[in-house]
Structure formats: C-alpha cells, structure tokens
Amino acid sequence: MAKTAPKRQACPGSCHCGLTKYIVFLTLPHPFSSSNPPKWAEQEIYRCNCTVCHKMGFLHVNPAHPRDDFMLLSPLDPDRDLNIYRCCDKKQKYYFCPRCGVRCFTLGGESETVVIDFKDLVDGKEKKREVWRAKWDGEKDTEPYVSVNGTTIDAREDLDLRVLTEEKRVQYFDGRSEPEKEKEPRWDRPHDGGSY
C-alpha cells in the first residue's frame, strides 16, 4: 500500500467538555523525522523535559505559521473565559478550560479577534466566522509563538501519536538544563526527566 503524500489539512480539536474549540492547520501525515528535520517556519511536534511541560504532559504541535494556522473558535475571549497559567518569564500563556481543566494551547505574543472566510479553508459550508488568533506585533515585529497540545486534536488516522513516537517523528528538547548546558534536540528518546 502506497503512503499518502503529506498535505495541509484542517484539524479540529477541543478540551474534554467542549468549551474550548479550535482548528489547527497541519501537514499530515507529519513528514519530519531525524533524517528530514523541520526547518524554520515548518511545523514541529516535540516534547520538552522542562518542569512545566513535563508536569502538564504537553505534546507540542507547533503549526508552521502561528498566525494563519491556528484559530480559536470558542471562546472568542480566552483571556476572560479560560484560565491561564503564565510561565517562561510570564511571556507564555498556557490556556486551560475552567470546567474540565484540559490545556489545549499556548500563546506567546499578541492576539486578535478577526473575521475569516472559511469557505475555502475548511469544508466549504460555512462562509465567514469570527475567530481568535495570534497576531504579529507591529511595533516589535516579533513572530508569535503558538503550540497546540497534540492530545487535544480530534482523533484521526493520519495523526496517530503512537506511530509518531514509534517512527521517531517526535523531537525531544532539553528545556530543563541551563541554557549554556542545554543538550541538542534528539529523536530517539527523551532527555533526562522527560517522557515519551
């Protein structure tokens, strides 16, 4: 059976109770591995062994283009309607549902609510919809950081988390060590204190 060529797809996701709903656009099946690592502005799937990522069990799925590839459908004001845990010198916000406690995504940077034409993006049924997303910081011109918790993406065959691990398509970062002693990312196993 021939393998399917990777293509960009709309992947819906949510928290357990459904208060938080989003769409992330990913290239699936995930094409990157140790022999074909992602370059800048390509999606990444990784685990970090820093204490916050480890304790949350966060499987980072970073879309290639944070502003255009992640759209929060509900709630439209997550700073008001979701709970937030700030870390990384309070520059990153880990949003989590106040009802079920599931952490769906992280944002570093600014955000905005905009109207998007969904007709060509998703299924052709819905035309325009208001969404919340990351935005470019005009003054600093800094790219936002968006990371989706891969375990909150709705189940699908072309994003099988077990297969990603078995095929060594998940990168492991050393975020626990001091920056000057940080080990290089690897694909075969987590760094000390990390998990698969």
Side-chain angles (χ1 to χ4, degrees), residues 66-67 70 107 110-112 132-136 144-146:
R67 180 180 172 271
F70 175 80
L107 171 73
E110 302 296 317
S111 62
E112 62 185 349
W132 178 93
R133 69 179 184 186
K135 80 171 191 175
W136 292 98
Y145 171 82
V146 170

Side-chain angles (χ1 to χ4, degrees), residues 9-10 16 24 28 40 49 61 64 72 78-79 81 83-84 91 95 113 116 120 127-128 141 147 150 166 173 183:
Q9 299 177 48
H16 190 260
V24 61
L28 296 176
W40 187 84
N49 69 341
V61 176
L72 185 64
D79 288 317
D81 298 329
N83 289 348
I84 301 168
K91 292 177 185 169
Y95 289 92
T113 304
I116 299 287
D120 296 328
K127 291 191 180 177
K128 295 195 178 199
D141 196 31
S147 187
E166 289 171 356
F173 289 100
K183 296 174 185 80

